[in-house]
């Protein structure tokens, strides 16, 4: 990189670009460290000039986040700089807390908290000092940073064991719970910590904080910027509050706003602010000085925005201002009267006693948040301060200031209410967020289950596809078989037709019976010879049919063939027909055999023979 081209005004132009176009204001940061860090980024990005770097930032969104990563150094740790934390735990914090009303909220601000370790350290410290009940009821820790990504880490409260090495084993066990390989801050104590984005240079400070920790960030700011930030801190701190800075930071500016409590540990307190009582005392002390100053002091006293009354050492009213006449219903005639004679001394409360106590002790007394309606109408809220007036260490009288804080009271109440609503909303948000996380996890596991089911379905589908292919090939084989069968059937039909034709054409009566002598076939010759139609004969026993033959003789021949497997020759049977004529018929029975030789019935043929009425040929059994 050529240093000669790195001109300051180009660098300032880069800062202005970052502030105006990208909302990241580094104009209040110290230049030496800032330029060093920007140079580091430019070297990595391979850019030589600031102008080129601005061009790169314009076209490359990831470069801005890389630059912010470098500039907003997020380094932090739990209980970083243990000496400061020990000082807080042992004396400063218990003392500051003891000055608060036990019902008062304890507001703490961890400014520039980075990834949150400091905020959780504050939570652990306050929890150990206050105990569980008071911590939950009173503590609110506002933890802010400019860097949203650091805040996202902080909000989780989830750290590695190495990141929590600064904790004792007892602290780790008490305040963190295992979460996978990490440790997570206890959810029930986490609700007291509110994380939010806050720019120390732009945003209004958080108010009434008892402990303000702003460490290791002021050192990056110019002296002028530090002044601005410290003024805001002075405003933010409770009057008994404590300011904790980083080990390497000094209060170079604004030392009139803070006083060191422990300089080596960089712990400070706000100096008391000048109030109305102080100015009034100054005005009284001005008596005897030059007339101009006295008149100015009197004019300021008269015009002061709070009602004021001055008593001399004998308790006589010596001064009233305009607001006292308006707000307290006093009149110029009351000047010169004894304070004890005024109605004001008894109402809103017994003020005479407080005035006497101040006169006796020389110590100021403050009566806060007194409900009172000095004029007709609604009761308001008042702060009353009674302070001794001394000139050259000599008691001169008493100064009473009545400040109407009704608006502030209402605002405070509203603020408390809003604070409560905010906490509730925050808690609801957190529980919704947890529910969402649970739902998300459930959805994820449902998705995983669906994925598994899908894979199973896919493999079933593949199996079905294979089966389908097999079935298709079986189907094709069956079709071939079917075609063959059809051909055979046609062939059989043809042969059948052929045989039927032969049988029908025969003059001879042909009958086929099974082994029960049931008729299986009855041809045309049999119909003609017996007068019985085939449908009348087929299926019936042959011997039950009216054949006009001696049935015993026929049975004997049939049995010889079917049962005895004999082969009797033709038998001529003489008979007389229904017209009384002598007839002769030749009966031939041959076995019907399967291919293996087993007898499955018999083939019976009958034919008329032309022999004489008594002529008869005895059956010849060839097997005999
Ligand atoms: C080194 S860390 C300090 C963390 C912690 N306070 C500590 O001391 O351990 C500095 C932090 O200051 C933040 N920061 C820088 N400029 C800021 C600004 N203008 N307003 C708020 N935070 C700022 C950065 O984002 C960073 O997280």
């Amino acid at each position: 990189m050529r240093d000669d081209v790195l001109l300051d005004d180009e660098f300032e132009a880069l800062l202005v670009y970052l502030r105006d176009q990208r909302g990241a204001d580094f104009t209040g940061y110290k230049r030496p460290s800032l330029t060093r860090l920007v140079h580091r980024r430019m070297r990595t990005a391979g850019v030589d000039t600031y102008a080129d770097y601005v061009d790169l930032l314009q076209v490359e969104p990831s470069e801005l986040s890389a630059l912010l990563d470098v500039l907003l150094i997020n380094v932090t740790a739990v209980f970083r700089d243990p000496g400061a934390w020990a000082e807080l735990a042992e004396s400063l914090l218990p003392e500051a807390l003891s000055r608060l009303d036990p019902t008062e909220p304890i507001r703490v601000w961890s400014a520039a908290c980075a990834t949150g370790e400091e905020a959780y350290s504050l939570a652990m410290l306050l929890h150990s000092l206050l105990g569980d009940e008071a911590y939950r009821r009173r503590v609110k820790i506002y933890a802010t940073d400019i860097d949203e990504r650091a805040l996202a880490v902080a909000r989780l409260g989830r750290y590695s064991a190495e990141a929590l090495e600064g904790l004792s084993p007892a602290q780790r066990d008490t305040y963190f719970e295992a979460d996978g390989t990490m440790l997570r801050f206890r959810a029930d104590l986490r609700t007291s910590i509110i994380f939010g984005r806050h720019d120390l240079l732009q945003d209004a400070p958080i108010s009434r904080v008892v402990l303000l920790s702003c460490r290791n960030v002021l050192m990056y700011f110019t002296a002028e910027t530090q002044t601005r930030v410290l003024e805001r801190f002075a405003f933010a701190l409770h009057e008994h509050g404590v300011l904790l800075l980083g080990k390497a930071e000094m209060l170079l500016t604004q030392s009139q706003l803070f006083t060191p409590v422990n300089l080596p540990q960089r712990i400070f307190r706000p100096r008391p602010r000048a109030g109305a009582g102080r100015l009034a005392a100054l005005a009284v002390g001005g008596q005897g000085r030059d007339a101009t100053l006295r008149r100015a002091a009197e004019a300021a006293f008269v015009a002061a925005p709070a009602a004021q009354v001055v008593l001399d050492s004998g308790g006589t009213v010596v001064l009233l201002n305009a607001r006292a006449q308006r707000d307290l219903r006093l009149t110029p005639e009351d000047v010169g009267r004894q304070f004890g004679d005024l109605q004001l001394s008894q109402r809103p409360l017994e003020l005479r006693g407080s005035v006497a106590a101040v006169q006796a002790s020389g110590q100021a007394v403050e009566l806060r948040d007194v409900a009172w309606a000095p004029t007709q109408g609604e009761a308001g809220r008042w702060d009353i301060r009674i302070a001794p007036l001394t000139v050259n260490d000599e008691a001169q009288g008493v100064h009473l200031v009545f400040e109407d804080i009704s608006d502030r009271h209402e605002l405070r109440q509203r603020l408390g209410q809003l604070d409560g609503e905010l906490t509730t909303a925050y808690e609801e948000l957190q529980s919704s967020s947890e529910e969402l996380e649970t739902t998300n996890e459930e959805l994820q596991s449902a998705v995983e289950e669906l994925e598994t089911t899908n894979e199973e379905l896919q493999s079933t589908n593949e199996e079905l596809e294979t089966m389908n292919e097999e079935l298709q090939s079986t189907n094709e084989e069956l079709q071939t078989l079917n075609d063959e069968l059809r051909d055979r059937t046609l062939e059989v039909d043809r042969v059948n037709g052929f045989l039927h034709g032969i049988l029908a054409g025969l003059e001879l009566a042909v009958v086929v019976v099974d082994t029960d002598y049931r008729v299986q076939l009855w041809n045309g010759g049999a119909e003609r010879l017996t007068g019985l139609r085939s449908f009348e004969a087929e299926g019936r026993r042959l011997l039950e049919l009216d054949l006009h033959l001696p049935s015993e003789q026929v049975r004997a021949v049939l049995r010889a063939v079917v049962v005895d497997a004999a082969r009797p020759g033709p038998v001529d049977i003489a008979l007389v027909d229904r017209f009384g004529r002598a007839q002769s018929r030749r009966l031939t029975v041959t076995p019907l055999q399967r291919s293996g030789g087993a007898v499955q019935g018999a083939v019976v043929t009958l034919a008329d023979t032309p022999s004489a009425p008594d002529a008869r040929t005895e059956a010849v059994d060839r097997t005999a």
Side-chain angles (χ1 to χ4, degrees):
M1 182 180 309
R2 302 190 328 271
D3 275 326
D4 54 339
V5 294
L6 302 176
L7 302 173
D8 277 353
D9 46 358
E10 276 191 25
F11 187 70
E12 295 307 312
L14 167 65
L15 295 186
V16 169
Y17 163 77
L18 285 173
R19 185 193 62 199
D20 296 348
Q21 308 295 319
R22 315 306 295 263
D25 186 3
F26 291 99
T27 53
Y29 290 55
K30 282 180 189 158
R31 294 302 183 268
S33 50
L34 207 55
T35 42
R36 187 169 41 77
L37 295 171
V38 173
H39 284 187
R40 197 196 295 166
R41 244 346 285 163
M42 286 170 65
R43 255 196 306 279
T44 311
V47 171
D48 274 352
T49 66
Y50 294 126
D52 286 349
Y53 192 53
V54 170
D55 288 346
L56 178 67
L57 285 168
Q58 270 166 341
V59 295
E60 190 50 75
S62 63
E63 183 53 36
L64 179 67
S65 57
L67 178 65
L68 293 183
D69 263 354
V70 171
L71 297 185
L72 301 172
I73 301 148
N74 295 137
V75 178
T76 184
V78 284
F79 293 114
R80 188 178 185 182
D81 304 326
W85 290 94
E87 181 70 17
L88 278 181
E90 281 156 23
S91 60
L92 292 179
L93 209 46
E95 189 196 325
L97 296 181
S98 72
R99 286 168 176 245
L100 299 182
D101 186 295
T103 57
E104 211 175 323
I106 298 168
R107 294 158 64 86
V108 174
W109 183 11
S110 169
C113 67
T115 42
E117 285 86 336
E118 185 179 275
Y120 292 109
S121 304
L122 287 166
M124 288 185 266
L125 176 59
L126 285 161
H127 185 264
S128 65
L129 286 177
L130 292 164
D132 209 49
E133 190 277 327
Y135 170 87
R136 286 167 198 275
R137 184 167 45 83
R138 297 179 65 195
V139 173
K140 281 271 167 298
I141 299 169
Y142 298 89
T144 63
D145 199 284
I146 196 171
D147 186 350
E148 276 290 5
R149 280 181 304 176
L151 284 171
V153 176
R155 284 191 182 99
L156 288 178
R158 198 166 171 268
Y159 302 101
S160 68
E162 298 85 73
L164 299 180
E165 263 167 9
L167 298 184
S168 68
Q171 282 171 324
R172 210 173 38 232
D173 293 347
T174 311
Y175 294 109
F176 285 84
E177 287 160 353
D179 183 0
T181 56
M182 309 282 271
L183 292 160
R184 192 190 277 270
F185 191 72
R186 264 171 56 184
D188 56 329
L189 303 181
R190 160 77 178 77
T191 48
S192 301
I193 310 175
I194 295 139
F195 287 99
R197 186 184 181 281
H198 180 280
D199 183 347
L200 286 168
L201 311 187
Q202 307 283 338
D203 301 323
I206 287 161
S207 63
R208 291 185 295 122
V209 295
V210 176
L211 173 58
L212 198 172
S213 169
C214 180
R215 316 182 68 210
N216 305 305
V217 63
L218 283 183
M219 59 189 184
Y220 298 114
F221 299 157
T222 60
E224 189 197 1
T225 310
Q226 284 187 22
T227 306
R228 253 167 54 215
V229 175
L230 287 168
E231 274 168 6
R232 289 178 178 175
F233 285 174
F235 172 78
L237 273 167
H238 190 284
E239 59 183 323
H240 304 307
V242 175
L243 170 67
L244 178 62
L245 298 183
K247 201 73 192 270
E249 287 162 330
M250 287 297 291
L251 271 188
L252 296 176
T253 66
Q254 296 303 315
S255 54
Q256 77 280 10
L257 289 178
F258 298 96
T259 171
V261 186
N262 183 329
L263 199 54
Q265 300 299 348
R266 305 293 187 269
I267 304 176
F268 303 84
R269 273 220 185 92
R271 285 185 193 277
R273 284 164 232 165
R278 188 178 288 254
L279 286 172
L282 188 71
V284 172
Q287 280 173 6
R289 301 229 185 134
D290 68 78
T292 314
L293 177 60
R294 198 172 59 244
R295 272 202 302 281
E298 280 171 5
F301 174 82
V302 170
Q308 297 181 44
V309 177
V310 176
L311 312 181
D312 66 11
S313 51
T316 305
V317 177
V318 290
L319 280 174
L320 296 173
N321 73 350
R323 267 315 264 271
Q325 294 178 44
R326 199 191 85 183
D327 291 352
L328 311 179
R329 288 207 292 179
L330 296 175
T331 63
E333 285 71 46
D334 290 323
V335 175
R337 292 177 67 188
Q338 271 293 308
F339 179 69
D341 294 341
L342 302 180
Q343 209 183 23
L344 178 66
S345 68
Q346 292 155 29
R347 238 181 288 155
L349 33 83
E350 179 46 66
L351 280 182
R352 270 180 311 190
S354 304
V355 169
V358 171
Q359 282 168 330
S361 67
Q363 298 290 317
V365 169
E366 278 196 41
L367 307 169
R368 290 190 168 274
D369 211 12
V370 179
W372 182 34
T375 55
Q376 274 165 353
E378 240 179 74
R381 293 284 174 163
W382 296 78
D383 276 355
I384 304 169
R385 181 178 159 82
I386 309 166
L389 278 179
T390 52
V391 176
N392 297 333
D393 287 340
E394 217 176 283
Q396 294 291 316
V398 176
H399 178 215
L400 294 102
V401 181
F402 298 79
E403 197 181 353
D404 185 353
I405 55 153
S406 306
D407 289 350
R408 223 184 301 158
H409 176 80
E410 210 172 290
L411 274 177
R412 208 178 295 151
Q413 275 193 326
R414 181 85 189 106
L415 200 69
Q417 199 183 332
L418 286 174
D419 208 24
E421 284 172 17
L422 195 71
T423 310
T424 317
Y426 178 75
E427 281 168 1
E428 281 171 10
L429 197 73
Q430 259 201 337
S431 88
S432 306
S433 164
E434 277 161 21
E435 273 175 31
L436 268 177
E437 260 179 47
T438 318
T439 314
N440 201 16
E441 278 166 18
E442 285 172 2
L443 277 175
Q444 252 182 349
S445 83
V447 164
E448 278 165 20
E449 274 175 30
L450 279 175
E451 271 176 19
T452 318
T453 314
N454 198 20
E455 275 168 25
E456 284 171 10
L457 279 175
Q458 258 182 346
S459 81
T460 311
N461 201 20
E462 280 164 19
E463 278 173 27
L464 282 174
E465 269 177 26
T466 318
M467 265 164 71
N468 198 21
E469 279 166 17
E470 285 172 7
L471 278 174
Q472 258 181 346
S473 84
T474 311
N475 203 18
E476 280 164 15
E477 281 170 21
L478 280 174
Q479 244 172 357
T480 319
L481 224 65
N482 205 17
D483 290 346
E484 281 174 16
L485 267 176
R486 209 179 31 242
D487 290 350
R488 289 262 178 91
T489 307
L490 286 175
E491 180 62 19
V492 166
D493 280 351
R494 197 183 60 75
V495 172
N496 226 4
F498 181 66
L499 286 176
H500 264 290
I502 294 171
L503 283 171
L506 282 176
E507 261 309 304
L508 200 64
V510 180
V511 175
V512 177
V513 295
D514 64 10
T515 49
D516 282 341
Y517 313 144
R518 277 186 199 284
V519 176
Q520 304 296 311
L521 187 137
W522 191 265
N523 80 338
E527 282 184 354
R528 282 189 295 278
L529 193 73
T530 62
L532 285 170
R533 308 293 301 276
S534 66
F535 67 85
E536 293 169 310
E538 280 172 0
R540 296 183 61 193
R541 284 173 182 276
L542 182 67
L543 297 173
E544 289 167 3
L545 300 175
D546 187 9
L547 300 175
H548 309 293
L549 293 174
S551 57
E552 278 315 310
Q553 206 174 348
V554 175
R555 185 191 309 276
V557 180
L558 280 172
R559 179 178 294 131
V561 171
V562 173
V563 179
D564 303 334
R567 274 184 177 272
V571 180
D572 290 331
I573 299 171
L575 55 98
V576 179
D577 70 11
R578 49 196 161 121
F579 305 109
R581 287 177 302 202
Q583 298 277 343
S584 172
R585 296 226 168 113
R586 175 162 292 172
L587 171 73
T588 310
V589 180
T590 53
L592 179 67
Q593 286 175 306
R594 286 213 185 92
S595 52
V599 176
Q600 60 179 9
V603 180
V604 180
T605 58
L606 269 177
D608 285 334
T609 52
S611 57
D614 290 336
R616 165 182 181 130
T617 307
E618 288 303 323
V620 179
D621 188 351
R622 287 189 202 155
T623 59

